[in-house]
């Protein structure tokens, strides 16, 4: 069987997964484990739909933005309907007064502008003109919320108020900051995630208790911005979100220029300049990598994860730091059959199958490969893309993958893994046709 015949079967299965996880205008990540609409999942899902149904891709984004609050905030979960198989559900978040659709009270990495630009540049002109223009001010409002509510002073760094806001939920970077979260008054609760997935692949109880306590903290202060900044026990500048927001600002700037929105252009240019400063501040000379920064303790993480490569995605490639970053990549590949692991395989906290403490995620690989390619490091980008495709070919559309063996981990029939496959295959075919 030829390559494109074999991948054609996987294309068909990826289509089926997106269709099966479609709940009528919005897509769940996977059945059981994640039964609602997630923020950056939907953005990536739109990339998958765009390869065979452009209208449905735009609908995914439009439905996600229905969950946006009046202040521009775009939550990480939109609870379209109740489902007792997931915790914490809408009652735990206590956001009913903020929006007509129940949502969570935290956000996720802002990849939406980047996806919006890709749909704009690759879509049918008539459809693009009809769908993109009304979405632009909503995405711009979300960016404004980010810069007002998650900015670390005037540093250009971007903070997260919960590990889940990073999108890389269980990263060892968060262990020390989570240790300062007091759980002495934690309300009783029942985890649901371990009923769907092997508990060895999920966060440990230490982490989950603190995740829930942070949800209750936000609920108890009514998700007040000022109190969050001043009082949240978890307040960490994240390389990943800082990088993703900078890239998103650049992509939104490109759309603002097309639309001739001069006020937006000026604002975005200012945010971009500040974001570049922020990434520079997150460089850590002790480990020769970009690392997170615990604002409450004024300490830098002494460990390296896949997020250290995301400044490439942001368009930042300091020539004085390239050798150190590529040395980390090469060291990881020397230890693992596949890349890019979500955490340093030489570190004692590395766990090849536990959620975000080592496994590979197709979406992060997509971000890393896109950044490397855009910055001119095509051979490295192609290796990341090739690894991603091989993992999916061998293990299917899993939530994540063991970097040592390639075994699939976490949930099955995952929407964003299917979407990334379709997007990569679409790019492959375009390169062959060219």
């Amino acid at each position: 069987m030829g390559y494109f015949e074999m991948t054609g079967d996987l294309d068909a299965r990826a289509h089926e997964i997106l269709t099966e996880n479609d709940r009528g205008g919005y897509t769940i990540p996977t059945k059981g484990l994640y039964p609602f609409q997630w923020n950056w999942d939907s953005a990536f899902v739109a990339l998958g739909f765009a390869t065979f149904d452009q209208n449905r891709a735009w609908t995914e984004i439009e439905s996600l933005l229905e969950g946006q609050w009046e202040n521009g905030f775009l939550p990480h979960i939109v609870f379209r309907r109740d489902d007792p198989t997931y915790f914490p559900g809408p009652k735990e978040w206590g956001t009913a007064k903020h929006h007509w659709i129940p949502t969570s009270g935290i956000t996720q990495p802002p990849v939406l502008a980047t996806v919006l630009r890709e749909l704009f540049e690759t879509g049918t002109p008539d459809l693009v003109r009809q769908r993109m223009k009304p979405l632009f001010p909503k995405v711009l409002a979300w960016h404004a919320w980010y810069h007002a509510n998650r900015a670390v002073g005037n540093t250009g760094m971007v903070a997260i108020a919960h590990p889940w806001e990073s999108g890389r939920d269980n990263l060892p970077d968060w262990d020390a900051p989570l240790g300062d979260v007091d759980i002495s008054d934690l309300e009783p609760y029942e985890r649901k995630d371990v009923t769907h997935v092997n508990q060895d692949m999920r966060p440990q109880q230490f982490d989950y208790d603190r995740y829930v306590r942070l949800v209750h903290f936000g609920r108890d202060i009514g998700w007040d911005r000022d109190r969050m900044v001043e009082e949240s026990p978890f307040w960490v500048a994240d390389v990943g979100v800082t990088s993703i927001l900078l890239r998103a600002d650049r992509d939104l700037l490109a759309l603002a220029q097309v639309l001739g929105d001069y006020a937006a252009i000026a604002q975005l240019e200012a945010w971009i300049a500040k974001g570049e400063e922020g990434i520079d501040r997150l460089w850590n000379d002790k480990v020769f990598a970009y690392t997170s920064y615990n604002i409450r303790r004024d300490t830098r993480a002494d460990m390296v994860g896949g997020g250290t490569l995301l400044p490439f995605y942001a368009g930042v490639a300091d020539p004085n730091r390239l050798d150190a970053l590529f040395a980390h990549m090469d060291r990881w590949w020397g230890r693992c059959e596949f890349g890019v692991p979500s955490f340093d395989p030489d570190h004692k906290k590395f766990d090849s199958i536990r959620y975000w403490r080592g496994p590979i995620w197709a979406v992060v690989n997509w971000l890393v490969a896109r950044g490397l390619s855009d910055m001119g490091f095509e051979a490295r980008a192609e290796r990341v893309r090739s690894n991603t495709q091989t993992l999916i070919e061998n293990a299917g559309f899993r939530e994540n993958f063991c970097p040592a063996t390639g075994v699939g981990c976490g949930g099955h029939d995952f929407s964003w893994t299917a979407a990334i496959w379709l997007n990569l295959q679409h790019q492959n075919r375009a390169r062959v046709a060219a």
Side-chain angles (χ1 to χ4, degrees):
M1 179 180 291
Y3 174 75
F4 284 122
E5 292 176 297
M6 176 185 70
T7 58
D9 293 340
L10 287 171
D11 287 356
R13 181 58 192 143
H15 288 187
E16 289 176 359
I17 289 170
L18 293 183
T19 302
E20 290 167 1
N21 289 340
D22 186 345
R23 292 296 179 269
Y26 73 95
T27 307
I28 63 171
T30 189
K31 297 174 185 175
L33 184 60
Y34 300 116
F36 306 110
Q37 184 175 24
W38 261 258
N39 185 324
W40 73 328
D41 291 72
S42 272
F44 287 115
V45 160
L47 288 178
F49 276 123
T51 65
F52 65 95
D53 187 344
Q54 290 184 33
N55 182 67
R56 183 61 186 79
W58 288 99
T59 300
E60 187 72 28
I61 293 175
E62 291 162 350
S63 70
L64 175 63
L65 286 165
E66 288 178 356
Q68 186 171 33
W69 296 9
E70 287 186 5
N71 65 358
F73 167 77
L74 191 61
H76 96 296
I77 305 175
V78 182
F79 295 106
R80 296 285 180 169
R81 52 188 174 190
D82 195 17
D83 191 319
T85 66
Y86 179 83
F87 178 90
K91 291 181 180 178
E92 298 294 323
W93 293 93
T95 62
K97 70 177 183 179
H98 294 281
H99 196 59
W100 62 277
I101 303 175
T103 73
S104 66
I106 59 174
T107 191
Q108 270 187 329
V111 297
L112 187 56
T114 301
V115 171
L116 195 66
R117 180 181 180 182
E118 182 152 330
L119 295 184
F120 171 78
E121 292 180 345
T122 61
T124 304
D126 289 344
L127 188 63
V128 164
R129 283 192 293 269
Q130 175 188 353
R131 309 296 277 276
M132 192 274 281
K133 191 172 182 179
L135 298 181
F136 175 84
K138 297 179 181 181
V139 180
L140 181 66
W142 184 29
H143 285 219
W145 177 91
Y146 243 116
H147 288 286
N149 292 273
R150 291 294 184 265
V152 182
N154 196 39
T155 66
M157 297 185 292
V158 180
I160 56 173
H162 194 296
W164 293 344
E165 286 199 320
S166 73
R168 293 148 29 250
D169 304 2
N170 196 39
L171 201 65
D173 293 47
W174 319 137
D175 290 358
L178 281 174
D180 291 330
V181 177
D182 181 5
I183 61 167
S184 60
D185 60 348
L186 180 65
E187 300 169 16
Y189 71 93
E190 179 185 356
R191 287 182 67 170
K192 300 296 180 70
D193 60 315
V194 291
T195 67
H196 300 288
V197 173
N198 182 339
Q199 63 182 2
D200 290 338
M201 298 178 181
R202 297 295 298 171
Q204 297 189 58
Q205 197 61 40
F206 171 94
D207 304 292
Y208 219 88
D209 284 347
R210 286 154 181 81
Y211 298 159
V212 174
R213 183 65 191 92
L214 288 170
V215 170
H216 292 167
F217 166 79
R219 178 201 64 192
D220 293 345
I221 65 169
W223 304 102
D224 179 84
R225 181 262 179 194
D226 293 334
R227 293 190 64 185
M228 184 71 72
V229 173
E230 296 298 323
E231 301 175 26
S232 175
F234 186 95
W235 195 244
V236 180
D238 175 34
V239 177
V241 174
T242 301
S243 298
I244 291 169
L245 180 58
L246 175 54
R247 171 59 182 260
D249 282 339
R250 295 191 198 279
D251 289 325
L252 206 58
L253 173 61
L255 295 178
Q257 291 167 335
V258 170
L259 294 172
D261 189 333
Y262 298 107
I265 290 170
Q267 181 62 82
L268 286 159
E269 288 176 340
W271 287 339
I272 289 166
K274 188 57 64 177
E276 290 173 346
E277 292 179 20
I279 289 179
D280 186 64
R281 291 173 186 270
L282 289 168
W283 179 258
N284 186 340
D285 280 323
K286 291 185 178 180
V287 294
F288 301 106
Y290 296 98
T291 64
S292 62
Y293 167 60
N294 184 353
I295 300 162
R296 297 294 183 239
R297 290 278 186 173
D298 190 23
T299 55
R300 295 179 181 273
D302 61 355
M303 54 192 75
V304 182
T308 201
L309 302 176
L310 289 177
F312 289 116
Y313 176 73
V316 176
D318 186 329
N320 297 315
R321 295 168 179 170
L322 291 178
D323 287 347
L325 292 173
F326 290 153
H328 286 302
M329 281 192 81
D330 294 341
R331 178 170 55 83
W332 295 342
W333 260 314
R335 291 292 308 276
C336 300
E337 181 72 18
F338 303 96
V340 179
S342 51
F343 189 64
D344 187 347
D346 284 322
H347 198 281
K348 63 182 180 182
K349 290 190 174 183
F350 175 79
D351 186 328
S352 66
I353 65 169
R354 192 177 297 279
Y355 198 65
W356 290 109
R357 300 179 86 86
I360 296 168
W361 297 71
V363 291
V364 175
N365 272 14
W366 186 90
L367 298 173
V368 171
R370 175 65 64 94
L372 289 168
S373 181
D374 288 349
M375 300 305 289
F377 307 111
E378 186 57 37
R380 289 180 179 274
E382 179 53 32
R383 185 171 182 181
V384 175
R385 290 192 295 261
S386 178
N387 275 199
T388 308
Q389 292 171 126
T390 299
L391 288 165
I392 295 171
E393 288 167 1
N394 293 342
F397 298 99
R398 297 297 297 273
E399 183 176 6
N400 50 72
F401 306 89
C402 172
T405 66
V407 168
C409 304
H412 293 259
D413 296 339
F414 226 79
S415 293
W416 70 6
T417 308
I420 293 301
W421 170 267
L422 291 170
N423 181 264
L424 291 176
Q425 291 306 110
H426 182 76
Q427 293 175 19
N428 287 343
R429 292 185 172 95
R431 281 192 290 270
V432 170

